[in-house]
Amino acid sequence: MIESLLTFFSLLFGSFIILYMLVVIFIYSVMLIISFFNIRKRYQLDQEGIDEENLDATYMKPISIIVPAYNEEVGILDTIYSLMSLRFPQTEVIVVNDGSKDGTQDKLIQAFQMKKVKKVVKKVLDTEPIIAIYQSSLNQNVWLVEKENGGKADALNAGINVAKYPFFCSIDGDSILNEKSLLQVMNPIVTSNEEVIAVGGNVRIANENNVQLGSISSPKLPRHYLVVMQVIEYLRAFMIGRISLSKFNMVLIISGAFSVFSKKWVIDAGGYSKNMIGEDMELVVKLHRYVKEHKLKKRIEFVADPVCWTEAPQTLSVLRRQRRRWQQGLLESLWKHKRMTLNPKYGAVGMVSFPYFWFVEAIGPLVEFGGYVYIVVAFFLGDIYLEFAFLLLCLFVLYGSVISIASVLLDAWNNDVYLRNKDLARLMVMSLTEVVWYKPLTLIWKLEGYLAFILRRKEWGTMKRTGLSEKGSSS
Amino acid sequence: MEISIKMLIASIAIIMMIQVCLGVYISMKYKKKLRKTNRQETYMESVQQGWYDFFFGEHREVPDVLIPTNKEEIQVVEYIFLTYLNKFSNEGIREKVQHFANAYLHAHYAKQLKSVKWSIRMNALFRIFDFHIDRLKDECVKLENKKLSTEEWFQLFKIYAIFDVSGFLSKLANYPNSFSEHEYRKLINNVPLDSFVILFTHFKELPRACQLSIIDIVGLKRHSDHVPFLEEQIQSEDSEIRIRSLKAVYEIGWMIDLETYKPFVQSPIWEERLMVSKLFSRLPIEQTYPYMKKLLEDESWWVRSETAHSIARVKNGEDKLLEFLQTSNDSYALEMVQEILQKGYE
């Protein structure tokens, strides 16, 4: 009796996981198809002319670039050089030193000949006190804000207070932009008559690439196996998830590494939330919420063209910490705004995005982990369980590797970033191995994120960087 | 169960086979593209000097060797033309490009305009505009009969704006959808300066976003003949039109009449007060100080800040700010003035 009950429940559990996987595979496939059509429409379109035209200050709005920095001495100079060489009519760069304990500030002061200035700051968002403000003698538009430590969100809020332009762009202290990225990311805002209030760009991984005074000359695919897996992951997330969600104004995550916001709306929505781990997702959700609650016709978009290069973790321990944080941040935001879920008041965001994020991103890791455990256990139990396990394994391959390869292909077809056949082959082969090692690893880390969410752990989320430039080039 | 597993394995195998084929196809495409780029580079090297001589020389007729014979060569010529047009604002070059494109490239673009692919039609429209190919104007008009995307309509309007302003305006007034202000600006900016009078006559018929863009562009063109038009608009009932017009007058940099603008000091809208404080920096501080003092003590931070900057910009302005420091007891205003005096003005 007990045995048959046990069999029944374990088969039920197996069927549940299989059903879940089928649904998710279906959702991913639909998203993939939407992205494909979206990309196909613009295929071969000559974007050059539009960019050139936008370079004219008559059309473009000025923008403040905020770089929050906490112990970023390795990459900070490259980032600022890259920002100074951007093609954009009018910008100011505000580095916010959030109480770094390393040489971040000294390096900046020295490299840009920063001088302390007295500047009245309108405190529209509440932040930890600002200690001093410096202005570069080499370029009047480069500022350094020294403030007491308050976390990344607090640093960004301080940057918003100091910023003088109506739009701001947040960029991580270790990121490099292509020279036209800012123009392209601003395009949806200006062409939509500011109906678009936030735009996220595409983030690519730059490890092992050589950065000389703020630009990457010829990108190559990193060799490190862990980094290659992340390249695939990023492609997958950007090429599939975000393009299709953006089409219907349902994006919940635009990368904190590179996004542009309209200052007014961010301030109205209360700025970045200080006590949240995933401040970038939280802000986007808050903006959606504000817009819907005030019945405004505003959009948040993701654009695939403008690229921001960032450094990905190269060791398991750093990657683990990052993933744990991401999962924790995601859960915190979803939980905080749980009332938006399936609430028609919030339109597509409430009815589709939220359920999607709960179902795929939040519950997903639990179910997938259950699936992996099931496969291992079933292997020992044999018999009917083994068939179930085999079925599940096939679905994992479909869900992981096949979809990843599809994203890699879609990206290769659309962009010529890695113009070498060897690279394409490597990406495809590595996608195949995803199910066996990378996926289970990230699952465990995500589960740790769950734990952290329940225990409400806090940290700034620093990562040890190796820097993108060759030794001595700009540091 | 067994059947479903078999089916699943089979379908995964098929999908992966297809993916491998796609991978091979894409890498072949890469190779093809590389070869094409190499050919184009060689062609570019062979014609570069010829084009330079043509653009900076006396001859109007192009030597035969420069005439492209296929699509790949046309792409190179496009690249060369765009580079010259972007780098040199020289009417002679523009005319030569137009002349050449009308003679040798129009057939290529006429064909592209008929393409079923949206991106190809868009590219053709971009180039017709860039190279001012007026010979294809009628082809463009014919395109209107098709179902067009907003982007295509926008490109069409850009083309009309350079060739036929009256037609452009009547079409724009009747266009059922509207563009963003940013897009209207791009359109209006292409209207030749001597046709602005036509814009002013049709001003009231145009969508509001277009009206605002006209005001902005008038400001940016900095043509003093246009000030009367703007001064008419500052009497508008629409506050945004008033604010933009004030800004445009400021941009033009023309001497203003204090009496016309004085009422804005009392405006309930802070943006108007801010603009008028900027405008007053065009006049001697002795005339404007009573108003500026009031604006320095304004309730809005932005107005106070702008006024302090404006005063610092004019002759004897800093003296007036020092005087203000001694006489005023408005702590917010004092803080602002102190900042300006310490830093000097930007």
Side-chain angles (χ1 to χ4, degrees), chain B residues 113-178:
Chain B
L113 278 182
K114 295 198 178 89
S115 169
V116 284
K117 279 193 187 153
W118 174 83
S119 52
I120 303 289
R121 290 198 304 274
M122 281 295 283
N123 288 347
L125 290 170
F126 286 150
R127 296 298 96 86
I128 294 170
F129 170 79
D130 290 332
F131 304 155
H132 289 199
I133 313 179
D134 47 7
R135 197 171 164 182
L136 288 173
K137 211 175 83 186
D138 294 337
E139 298 292 320
C140 291
V141 177
K142 272 189 216 159
L143 209 62
E144 285 179 27
N145 300 324
K146 290 189 183 166
K147 195 172 174 286
L148 296 179
S149 65
T150 327
E151 287 103 326
E152 283 166 294
W153 269 112
F154 177 67
Q155 289 306 324
L156 276 181
F157 277 122
K158 258 172 81 179
I159 293 167
Y160 297 152
I162 47 173
F163 293 143
D164 163 24
V165 179
S166 300
F168 158 72
L169 287 175
S170 66
K171 280 184 182 171
L172 200 60
N174 296 317
Y175 180 60
N177 301 321
S178 64

Side-chain angles (χ1 to χ4, degrees), chain A residues 43 46 58 118 190-191 416, chain B residues 29 33 127 180 182 185:
Chain A
Y43 188 61
D46 184 359
T58 319
K118 192 168 184 298
V190 282
T191 44
D416 302 329
Chain B
K29 226 182 65 173
K33 193 176 170 184
R127 296 298 96 86
S180 71
H182 172 78
R185 268 169 183 240

Side-chain angles (χ1 to χ4, degrees), chain A residues 48 115 133 179 204 208 214 240 280 311 315 341 362 458:
Chain A
E48 198 76 7
K115 297 261 160 26
I133 296 181
E179 61 166 20
R204 283 181 186 270
E208 297 171 45
I240 295 188
D280 39 0
E311 195 190 346
T315 59
T341 317
K458 300 271 176 290

Side-chain angles (χ1 to χ4, degrees), chain A residues 41-46 50 52-54 56 58-59 118-120 122 164 187 190-193 387-388 390-391 394-395 397-398 401-402 405-406 409 412-413 415-416 418-421 424 428 432, chain B residues 1-2 4-5 8-9 12 15-16 19-20 22-23 26-27 29-31 33-34 86 117-120 122-123 126-127 151 158 180-183 185-186 189 217 220 301-302 335 339 342-343 346:
Chain A
K41 189 189 167 196
R42 305 193 80 81
Y43 188 61
Q44 286 183 330
L45 181 71
D46 184 359
I50 301 176
E52 280 299 327
E53 206 174 26
N54 280 341
D56 189 332
T58 319
Y59 309 131
K118 192 168 184 298
K119 187 177 164 76
V120 181
K122 190 170 194 276
K164 71 171 172 205
N187 199 37
V190 282
T191 44
S192 70
N193 216 7
E387 283 179 12
F388 252 93
F390 206 68
L391 190 65
C394 291
L395 287 177
V397 172
L398 200 59
S401 302
V402 172
I405 296 177
L409 288 172
W413 174 63
N415 295 302
D416 302 329
Y418 306 116
L419 240 180
R420 288 190 311 183
N421 293 338
L424 181 62
M428 287 176 73
L432 264 184
Chain B
M1 175 75 91
E2 226 169 283
S4 59
I5 292 178
L8 199 59
I9 293 177
I12 290 176
I15 294 173
M16 284 197 170
Q19 288 188 330
V20 170
L22 284 174
I26 288 172
S27 56
K29 226 182 65 173
Y30 274 171
K31 284 226 174 87
K33 193 176 170 184
L34 278 181
N86 287 332
K117 279 193 187 153
W118 174 83
S119 52
I120 303 289
M122 281 295 283
N123 288 347
F126 286 150
R127 296 298 96 86
E151 287 103 326
K158 258 172 81 179
S180 71
E181 236 178 78
H182 172 78
E183 288 167 319
R185 268 169 183 240
K186 284 188 176 176
N189 205 19
I217 296 291
L220 292 170
W301 187 90
W302 302 108
E335 189 184 9
E339 182 197 341
Q342 193 179 355
K343 206 167 67 172
E346 284 172 30

